[in-house]
Amino acid sequence: MTGKSRLIENGDTKVDFKAPKDPVVKRDSFFVMLEKVIEASPRNEGKPSQEVYLDGERLKSIARLVGGVSDEEILTLLDDCKGFRKLVHSIGLVIKTGNENTGWINFVVHNYGKRSKYETGTLLRIPCPTDGTEMQVELEDFEWSQDDDVPGKFAFEFDQPGGLATATVKFYLHDDYKVPEITLDPPVPFGSEGYQAMIRKSLLSKGNNHRLKAAIEKAERGEDVTIAYIGGSITQGAGAKPIHTHSYANQSYLRFREMFGKDNGKNVHFIKAGVGGTPSELGMIRYERDILRDGEVAPDIVIVEFAVNDAGDETEGICYESLCLKILSSENKPAVILLFSVFENDWNLQDRLSPVGAHYELPMVSVKEAVVEQFRLTREEGNIITKRQFFYDIYHPTNDGHTVMGDCLAYLFSETKKSSKDRVDIEIDKTPVIGNGFKDVQLLDRKDNTINARINIGSFRETDVDLQMVEMDANPFVTPQFPNNWMHTAVSGNESFKMTINSKSLILVFKDSGSSEFGTAEIYVDGKLKITADPHEVNWTHCNAVIVYQENVCREHQVEIKMASNHEDKCFTILGFGYTL
């Protein structure tokens, strides 16, 4: 595309920008996105968009994964904005919707600032055609903020939620830098014998099949069966486009429904409760609300996926085992399947968490066992799917990756169907392998206070509505997490939140935020400072769970939450608590 003027937003200013002519010099380049499907997801603020985060080690990892870059000098230049502009001459963009009437999609470049991460760096918003024409954006045509620190994110902004497109983003380099061209991957041979052999490796353990067989037989009789999924962003469907139909959860549910349902599977029902960036420490607290729907649902099968989210679990597996036992102890005796997903660096917590499955004889499916070994092979040596094809980014699968995950679960279903039913159910009333101290944890929030804790909300009297939003079940729309909260604001005063509660343990769930309006709070128990809760620990809007205390006996405690010194004019949101008796 050449010569057409467009209005470009650069932070608070708008400048008339003329698209550069196609360069005469053929520059070396590498991909950071290659025909990736992008989706217009609703946002708390601004237009529906697809966001691609670049901070930390992400941009370097993307350059390795998608662009095939191995030169450490080039990778090091991607660490900050100064190096980025030294390396990158221009950005090539190709966006295609397949819809002649779509018009333009905004390509957003956001550099995080040094003084205020989200508020002082350069923000560019560049309208792009959607007909598949490449547009090259030269960096020298823009004025960049002196406060730019690191490349923060790209985003693709749509006019309406639910829109889909494919996007390719390529970095053209200055003349001093050279990179080899990559060889494009052939299509994944789904259904081939090699593919099936890869899927078979995912079956880490069939476990005791008594409960899973019972659910299959129930479905085959035409009785209502519910299959539920709880986990992090991969279970939410991150990387799948559209997220509500192409997630591994929805795909494996549909496979179960096809295999065992009656009347086109109308008797098989679906619950999906993945929440991005959260571990089993939060999953066990929200289980009754998000899976059991406050007693309205009794799932027959629950897939638990926290193998890449529990790295920060302060109990190192006690919360995970407690969640599994919470589910297994339900009166209707549901089957629990442990699913071990994997990151782009071949890492997960399978070694820590699989002993829980072995201890209770649970079926276990490992995506890591299926894909990691073959990632290292060429197609001639037996490679089925490359990392570039499997991963949307360094954490989440593409549609192809989600398909692989769904097929891994479907293989467990089919193998269980072929097997004889174990006569005796699993034993759960035994010494835990890691710990079970939170097995009976319950949620306490502004709406649910069955323990009758005595609460004086003080200046935490507002309700925060700017919350983490997730796509539940098969819904394309988003649902707020922990809407029944207590919020302190800059103008609500400075009176402490006080609670008198009888419990063995207490977990605080508070809102993490990237906004500079949020500040630090101090949590006191019986007059002693226990925790300083910083909502900028991760710096994006999501739910953060921390243990306040854990004891062997249930007794009364006085809990006080107040804003830290010099943070009285900031916001802080108590999303809720988890407690045990």
Side-chain angles (χ1 to χ4, degrees):
M1 176 181 180
T2 61
K4 184 175 181 180
S5 295
R6 300 179 315 289
L7 200 62
I8 308 297
E9 292 186 33
N10 187 342
D12 295 327
T13 63
K14 297 184 179 182
V15 296
D16 193 45
F17 171 73
K18 190 173 182 180
K21 294 181 179 180
D22 294 333
V24 176
V25 178
K26 184 180 186 301
R27 300 183 178 277
D28 272 35
S29 63
F30 64 85
F31 293 102
V32 289
M33 295 182 70
L34 179 56
E35 294 186 352
K36 286 287 180 68
V37 181
I38 55 176
E39 180 177 13
S41 299
R43 304 292 168 186
N44 289 349
E45 295 182 0
K47 291 185 174 183
S49 65
Q50 172 73 60
E51 296 182 334
V52 180
Y53 292 94
L54 308 173
D55 56 328
E57 292 290 307
R58 295 185 191 187
L59 181 53
K60 290 166 71 172
S61 297
I62 290 169
R64 291 189 190 98
L65 174 66
V66 184
V69 178
S70 58
D71 187 316
E72 287 301 321
E73 179 187 2
I74 288 177
L75 292 170
T76 299
L77 289 171
L78 297 173
D79 282 335
D80 57 38
C81 292
K82 181 179 179 181
F84 182 86
R85 291 196 289 273
K86 182 179 179 181
L87 172 69
V88 179
H89 171 272
S90 52
I91 300 175
L93 302 165
V94 179
I95 301 175
K96 189 171 184 178
T97 61
N99 182 350
E100 294 180 357
N101 299 321
T102 300
W104 300 75
I105 287 176
N106 288 334
F107 176 67
V108 178
V109 178
H110 187 185
N111 291 336
Y112 292 159
K114 297 173 185 175
R115 289 184 291 111
S116 179
K117 182 174 181 179
Y118 298 111
E119 296 162 2
T120 62
T122 301
L123 177 65
L124 303 180
R125 186 168 278 106
I126 305 168
C128 298
T130 60
D131 60 359
T133 302
E134 181 177 25
M135 184 175 76
Q136 293 188 17
V137 178
E138 294 189 18
L139 301 192
E140 66 178 15
D141 287 326
F142 298 94
E143 182 178 347
W144 301 89
S145 170
Q146 293 298 310
D147 196 59
D148 281 351
D149 185 13
V150 297
K153 70 177 180 180
F154 293 150
F156 300 86
E157 292 182 341
F158 295 69
D159 289 330
Q160 299 295 330
L164 294 173
T166 59
T168 294
V169 179
K170 180 187 288 190
F171 290 167
Y172 289 95
L173 309 184
H174 287 292
D175 295 341
D176 292 341
Y177 301 99
K178 305 295 180 183
V179 289
E181 291 187 18
I182 63 169
T183 302
L184 299 184
D185 302 313
V188 179
F190 293 109
S192 67
E193 174 51 38
Y195 180 82
Q196 296 301 331
M198 180 186 75
I199 296 299
R200 288 194 290 270
K201 291 182 178 181
S202 70
L203 187 50
L204 196 62
S205 174
K206 290 183 182 180
N208 180 309
N209 67 19
H210 185 86
R211 295 190 177 194
L212 186 52
K213 285 282 285 189
I216 290 172
E217 292 166 354
K218 184 178 178 183
E220 291 177 325
R221 292 193 299 268
E223 299 176 37
D224 285 330
V225 168
T226 297
I227 182 168
Y229 300 76
I230 188 166
S233 56
I234 295 175
T235 294
Q236 185 179 339
K241 313 295 175 189
I243 192 171
H244 64 293
T245 58
H246 284 62
S247 69
Y248 87 83
N250 194 63
Q251 292 193 56
S252 58
Y253 149 71
L254 291 175
R255 293 292 299 279
F256 185 94
R257 177 175 166 153
E258 292 166 3
M259 288 171 155
F260 312 118
K262 289 288 188 181
D263 299 325
N264 294 320
K266 292 180 181 179
N267 62 315
V268 181
H269 310 288
F270 179 56
I271 296 283
K272 184 187 71 171
V275 176
T278 65
S280 56
E281 187 169 352
L282 188 73
M284 65 185 187
I285 295 172
R286 62 184 181 84
Y287 180 74
E288 277 83 5
R289 183 196 65 191
D290 287 353
I291 297 292
L292 302 185
R293 306 293 159 91
D294 295 324
E296 295 183 2
V297 174
D300 300 273
I301 302 168
V302 181
I303 288 87
V304 177
E305 182 269 320
F306 283 109
V308 293
N309 282 68
D310 270 8
D313 172 19
E314 51 194 320
T315 70
E316 296 186 350
I318 294 174
C319 291
Y320 184 84
E321 185 169 2
S322 296
L323 172 61
C324 292
L325 286 169
K326 173 189 275 286
I327 303 167
L328 292 167
S329 301
S330 299
E331 187 176 347
N332 68 315
K333 297 183 177 181
V336 169
I337 298 169
L338 305 187
L339 177 63
F340 303 126
S341 48
V342 67
F343 278 164
E344 181 270 337
N345 63 357
D346 303 338
W347 175 87
N348 69 10
L349 288 166
Q350 184 174 310
D351 290 344
R352 178 202 286 179
L353 304 179
S354 60
V356 174
H359 191 60
Y360 300 105
E361 300 181 81
L362 305 180
M364 293 186 282
V365 173
S366 171
V367 182
K368 178 179 179 179
E369 296 298 321
V371 300
V372 166
E373 183 180 345
Q374 62 85 51
F375 279 153
R376 304 184 180 102
L377 305 176
T378 65
R379 188 55 62 98
E380 292 72 27
E381 293 170 330
N383 171 262
I384 300 299
I385 185 171
T386 66
K387 281 191 176 184
R388 189 183 295 115
Q389 291 171 310
F390 186 91
F391 289 102
Y392 193 90
D393 52 34
I394 61 175
Y395 302 122
H396 307 113
T398 58
N399 281 358
D400 285 350
H402 276 279
T403 296
V404 169
M405 292 184 67
D407 286 345
C408 289
L409 285 169
Y411 180 67
L412 167 65
F413 300 153
S414 65
E415 288 299 294
T416 302
K417 168 63 178 176
K418 296 175 187 176
S419 304
S420 300
K421 186 176 182 179
D422 288 319
R423 294 183 179 181
V424 180
D425 192 11
I426 60 173
E427 180 184 349
I428 59 175
D429 188 17
K430 56 183 179 180
T431 304
V433 65
I434 304 177
N436 62 1
F438 296 101
K439 177 176 69 73
D440 299 315
V441 68
Q442 297 292 316
L443 170 65
L444 187 160
D445 62 11
R446 191 187 280 263
K447 174 176 173 287
D448 294 309
N449 183 8
T450 57
I451 196 177
N452 292 320
R454 300 191 300 277
I455 298 175
N456 180 352
I457 63 175
S459 57
F460 291 74
R461 59 175 179 263
E462 304 299 328
T463 299
D464 197 340
V465 296
D466 182 21
L467 302 171
Q468 183 173 8
M469 309 290 282
V470 301
E471 297 86 356
M472 304 288 283
D473 306 335
N475 298 320
F477 57 83
V478 290
T479 299
Q481 288 292 294
F482 293 92
N484 306 302
N485 55 68
W486 300 275
M487 183 184 187
H488 177 278
T489 69
V491 296
S492 61
N494 195 32
E495 187 181 352
S496 299
F497 176 98
K498 295 180 180 179
M499 177 172 67
T500 302
I501 184 172
N502 281 282
S503 66
K504 282 185 181 179
S505 61
L506 186 72
I507 298 172
L508 167 68
V509 185
F510 66 96
K511 173 182 165 179
D512 198 283
S513 174
S515 170
S516 60
E517 295 179 357
F518 277 72
T520 299
E522 296 174 339
I523 295 85
Y524 293 80
V525 178
D526 302 326
K528 296 181 180 180
L529 177 63
K530 286 287 187 178
I531 291 174
T532 300
D534 180 5
H536 298 295
E537 189 173 318
V538 184
N539 253 333
W540 61 282
T541 301
H542 81 297
C543 313
N544 202 337
V546 292
I547 297 173
V548 179
Y549 59 80
Q550 186 180 9
E551 300 175 346
N552 294 322
V553 295
C554 182
R555 63 189 182 97
E556 184 175 280
H557 289 287
Q558 308 294 326
V559 178
E560 179 184 9
I561 301 177
K562 63 181 181 179
M563 300 306 294
S565 178
N566 299 321
H567 287 251
E568 294 89 351
D569 61 346
K570 300 286 188 179
C571 300
F572 187 89
T573 301
I574 303 167
L575 294 172
F577 300 91
Y579 66 89
T580 62
L581 300 177

